[in-house]
Amino acid sequence: MDAIAQFFHNIPIDLLIIQTVNGVVTGMILALVASGLTLIFGIMDVVNFAHGELFMLGAYLGFVVFVSTGSFWLALIGAALVVAILGAAMQIVALRPLIGRDPLNTILATFGVSLVLQNYALWQFGPVVRKIPAPIGSQFTLFYLQYPWYRLLVAALSAAIIGGFWLFLKHGKFGVWIRATAQDRVMAQAMGIPVPLVYTGVFAIGAAMAAASGVLFAPMVGVSHTMGLDWVLKAFIVVVVGGMGNFVGSIVAAIFISLIEAYTTIWLDPSRAVIVSFVILILTLLFRPTGLFAATPR
Amino acid sequence: MTTAPLDKASSLQELAADKAQSRHTAVFWMVFSLVMAALIAAPLVLPEFWRRLTTEILIWGLLAMSSDLLIGYTGMVSFGHSAFFGLGMYGAAGALLLVSPPNLWLAILFGLAGAAGAALFVAYFSTRLRDIYFAITTLIFSQIFYVIIFTWTAVTGGENGLIFTRPHLRIPFLYDARFTSTTMHWFVLAVVAGSYLILRRITQSPFGMVLQSIRENEPRTRAIGYRVENFKMVAVMLSGLFAGLAGVLYAVQNEFAAPDFVYFLTSGETVIYNVMGGIGTLVGPIVGAGFFHLMRELLSRFFGDQFPYLIPLGLIFIAMIIFLPQGIMGFARRWLNR
């Protein structure tokens, strides 16, 4: 009994709470990235390998807009718009010709796009880490830490964007088109829904969400050309654990995985804590290959 | 009695098919020996830099060929071949650093064992999945190995990797000498050519036929009664072994093992070699590796070392997926048959 009491006594409650907040914040950003990825997959059967690069490019564009205008909010909107156009262009040029071919072709093509974008960023911005200052600098006291309000704002904003998108899917005209196409694209086409336009639109929306999360993330750690792979990997894990194409599942999975990773960093250094999410992925694949949060096993 | 003429006709047809087959075989061996002759002579005529590049292309070609067994023949795109390649590298490094005097054959054995371990791990988990799920999980597995190698500094040297000296090329009772760049090339060529012949034999064997049938129609293959999962696992293991062999060769040639080669980029480039050269041809991936590295060399000669060569190569890669999915070899084959 003593040993058990000792064990509970040794759990650092304050650290746990701090890491819970951290986990929820990164989880919300990850949810924003992953929901774009799962949306694109659910509708087009396209695994967008370049999603992390869109995130990275959004952050860089946010940096560029911020440097020239000085406004964080302009940077957020500007980066999202530009990357949305880029995403639409990417879909039209690289993915539209591949419709009807093996879906593996699309992962190869988007992998090609990610290579080009990543090396373009390296060429244009160099290997130096860039940082956008947070729009609000104030902090509050969380135990012995000065915790920035900005992080909570990020979580709230991500939730707002996801919620707004959810409403748009439910009630917007284009949103209804998207859901109809996801359910049955042939029937949707027969009902007069312009399916090619829906495809391009969905890609643009997904890209904009990735870019927005990139800008939101930039003040926290900074922007580098290699961050794309980390994020796309995390997003892949989230999407598989949450169930491919399952919008709600991927949001829950994003927070779940970020929380567990955050708790792990109490005991392990962060570069190794990544392995924990890999292990969650393996366990999911072993025991519930359709995803942990799939409503109905497919 | 009525069946006799039919029998005769069918046996005549068989005879014609046999003849075509044997002519095909003759042409194959002729081309094979011509290419081999050119590659054997290459280090004797090429200057040092190009000699090294040719050797490296052969090594990358072996890596690409190993992944073609999965991409081209079984229809599984692996984004994780860097794990096998890297484990081969570190296995060889381990043998060369721990055992003295360093022994080449032991390095190969250790490298293959390392790659086989990684391949068993990856094969067990990822072959339960198909298509994109397979691609994503192989990628994530290779990343696990990368993180372990990168952070386990005490054993792997972390970011700096491991440095060692090249072992002698020693064939018991026959030959024992330091590697020169020429003998290195011949050694690599012998291993790559041998691997090619083995892989070719594998793809033409009944086992290889089952793999191709999995690629064409997995449910039907299962329905016929083949244990698809077992075939896939063996395919991944074989592929991993040959990728590990490529890793050993690369480690021995360059006298180091570094975590960069376990990183995703190596896997990505392996896929690029395959697509550029032509999947499902075994020779194609080598051609693709050659094309990729020659282009890279030419681009950095024209535009300087800092030029982001992956931008034009990435664009070519995308264009090839859209317009030339059979790659260079597929295109050449069609053009020759015209």
Side-chain angles (χ1 to χ4, degrees):
Chain A
M1 288 311 270
D2 250 14
I4 294 170
Q6 188 66 28
F7 177 77
F8 278 110
H9 190 72
N10 278 347
I11 291 180
I13 300 291
D14 43 351
L15 258 181
L16 272 183
I17 292 175
I18 290 172
Q19 288 301 58
T20 308
V21 180
N22 275 337
V24 169
V25 171
T26 40
M28 285 316 293
I29 300 183
L30 188 55
L32 195 54
V33 180
S35 54
L37 193 69
T38 202
L39 179 76
I40 290 172
F41 177 80
I43 301 210
M44 293 188 268
D45 274 346
V46 167
V47 176
N48 184 15
F49 213 98
H51 213 69
E53 258 53 58
L54 295 174
F55 174 91
M56 180 265 310
L57 213 62
Y60 269 120
L61 283 171
F63 172 76
V64 169
V65 177
F66 179 83
V67 165
S68 51
T69 64
S71 160
F72 180 83
W73 307 111
L74 269 182
L76 183 62
I77 294 165
L81 281 180
V82 174
V83 173
I85 294 169
L86 184 82
M90 179 180 147
Q91 199 272 335
I92 292 170
V93 174
L95 293 175
R96 202 172 269 185
L98 296 178
I99 289 175
R101 284 209 227 155
D102 193 323
L104 279 172
N105 281 306
T106 61
I107 199 172
L108 294 177
T110 51
F111 163 62
V113 173
S114 85
L115 268 188
V116 173
L117 291 181
Q118 188 185 343
N119 283 278
Y120 173 76
L122 175 63
W123 186 43
Q124 197 65 32
F125 299 98
V128 192
V129 173
R130 308 296 175 102
K131 219 163 174 180
I132 308 176
I136 46 171
S138 55
Q139 296 165 329
F140 65 97
T141 313
L142 186 67
F143 298 104
Y144 45 84
L145 271 186
Q146 288 298 310
Y147 204 86
W149 275 111
Y150 174 71
R151 291 194 171 209
L152 296 191
L153 178 72
V154 165
L157 268 179
S158 306
I161 296 176
I162 293 173
F165 180 67
W166 177 251
L167 286 179
F168 167 74
L169 270 185
K170 265 266 178 303
H171 301 293
K173 184 178 172 199
F174 197 75
V176 174
W177 285 2
I178 290 176
R179 284 192 293 133
T181 311
Q183 269 182 14
D184 189 334
R185 69 191 65 167
V186 178
M187 191 51 105
Q189 191 136 33
M191 300 306 261
I193 293 173
V195 170
L197 185 72
V198 170
Y199 280 1
T200 311
V202 163
F203 215 92
I205 293 171
M209 285 164 92
S213 34
V215 180
L216 288 177
F217 181 71
M220 291 166 57
V221 174
V223 194
S224 75
H225 71 279
T226 51
M227 71 206 255
L229 184 69
D230 293 346
W231 279 89
V232 83
L233 270 185
K234 271 193 197 170
F236 276 158
I237 294 175
V238 162
V239 167
V240 173
V241 170
M244 269 291 204
N246 181 344
F247 191 71
V248 182
S250 64
I251 292 166
V252 180
I255 294 171
F256 172 67
I257 283 174
S258 301
L259 273 178
I260 290 195
E261 231 177 75
Y263 293 141
T264 321
T265 50
I266 300 180
W267 292 283
L268 274 179
D269 85 63
S271 57
R272 285 190 202 179
V274 189
I275 293 186
V276 175
S277 48
F278 296 160
V279 171
I280 295 177
L281 176 86
I282 298 173
L283 293 179
T284 310
L285 290 177
L286 271 181
F287 297 112
R288 286 222 32 192
T290 49
L292 282 188
F293 305 105
T296 48
R298 276 176 294 176
Chain B
M1 290 304 280
T2 47
T3 56
L6 271 177
D7 277 353
K8 205 171 178 185
S10 73
S11 74
L12 267 179
Q13 239 168 22
E14 255 169 43
L15 207 67
D18 271 2
K19 223 172 178 178
Q21 183 63 40
S22 70
R23 200 176 62 209
H24 181 87
T25 316
V27 170
F28 169 80
W29 285 108
M30 220 166 69
V31 174
F32 179 76
S33 24
L34 276 178
V35 172
M36 279 301 280
L39 283 171
I40 290 172
L44 302 175
V45 280
L46 290 176
E48 177 68 20
F49 175 82
W50 294 102
R51 195 185 301 163
R52 274 188 70 92
L53 187 69
T54 321
T55 315
E56 265 191 35
I57 287 174
L58 282 175
I59 298 174
W60 293 126
L62 175 57
L63 175 63
M65 209 159 57
S66 75
S67 119
D68 193 21
L69 186 65
L70 295 184
I71 298 186
Y73 288 91
T74 327
M76 308 193 284
V77 175
S78 157
F79 269 110
H81 260 56
S82 64
F84 312 139
F85 186 81
L87 264 285
M89 254 182 136
Y90 277 90
L96 294 176
L97 286 172
L98 295 177
V99 181
S100 76
N103 184 322
L104 177 67
W105 308 107
L106 208 60
I108 292 181
L109 199 69
F110 270 51
L112 286 181
L120 185 65
F121 183 70
V122 174
Y124 180 73
F125 290 108
S126 57
T127 47
R128 295 153 182 264
L129 302 155
R130 272 191 287 156
D131 306 336
I132 41 180
Y133 296 89
F134 178 81
I136 294 172
T137 39
T138 49
L139 164 58
I140 283 166
F141 279 118
S142 75
Q143 223 41 26
I144 294 182
F145 286 107
Y146 173 73
V147 171
I148 292 175
I149 287 175
F150 195 85
T151 55
W152 200 6
T153 315
V155 173
T156 61
E159 198 174 351
N160 299 322
L162 298 168
I163 299 170
F164 44 84
T165 48
R166 205 182 275 171
H168 282 206
L169 174 57
R170 181 181 294 129
I171 304 168
F173 311 119
L174 278 179
Y175 185 87
D176 184 355
R178 241 169 225 296
F179 268 118
T180 63
S181 59
T182 311
T183 51
M184 186 75 221
H185 177 87
W186 284 336
F187 178 68
V188 168
L189 180 61
V191 174
V192 174
S195 308
Y196 166 67
L197 291 177
I198 296 172
L199 278 169
R200 181 168 177 270
R201 184 72 193 85
I202 290 173
T203 55
Q204 290 174 348
S205 69
F207 172 78
M209 293 299 162
V210 176
L211 293 189
Q212 291 172 54
S213 130
I214 292 173
R215 178 192 65 199
E216 293 303 326
N217 193 336
E218 189 173 324
R220 186 173 291 177
T221 314
R222 198 189 305 274
I224 292 171
Y226 290 107
R227 288 166 171 268
V228 171
E229 279 72 23
N230 295 3
F231 277 90
K232 281 182 169 178
M233 268 182 73
V234 175
V236 173
M237 295 281 299
L238 278 173
S239 177
L241 276 180
F242 283 102
L245 192 57
V248 173
L249 291 180
Y250 197 84
V252 170
Q253 194 208 6
N254 294 289
E255 306 185 279
F256 68 80
D260 294 5
F261 291 91
V262 196
Y263 193 61
F264 164 68
L265 195 59
T266 309
S267 311
E269 282 180 356
T270 310
V271 174
I272 296 181
Y273 305 149
N274 270 291
V275 172
M276 280 185 166
I279 60 169
T281 56
L282 287 186
V283 194
I286 303 185
V287 175
F291 177 76
F292 182 92
H293 282 275
L294 281 179
M295 283 295 287
R296 173 181 167 172
E297 198 47 47
L298 291 178
L299 285 170
S300 56
R301 292 219 163 184
F302 272 114
F303 301 105
D305 280 343
Q306 292 303 310
F307 184 74
Y309 63 91
L310 276 173
I311 295 181
L313 278 170
L315 292 174
I316 295 175
F317 174 70
I318 300 169
M320 279 184 122
I321 291 168
I322 298 173
F323 300 111
L324 201 64
Q326 310 92 344
I328 299 171
M329 279 307 282
F331 178 74
R333 190 188 278 164
R334 253 196 332 200
W335 192 76
L336 285 173
N337 288 345
R338 204 161 53 177

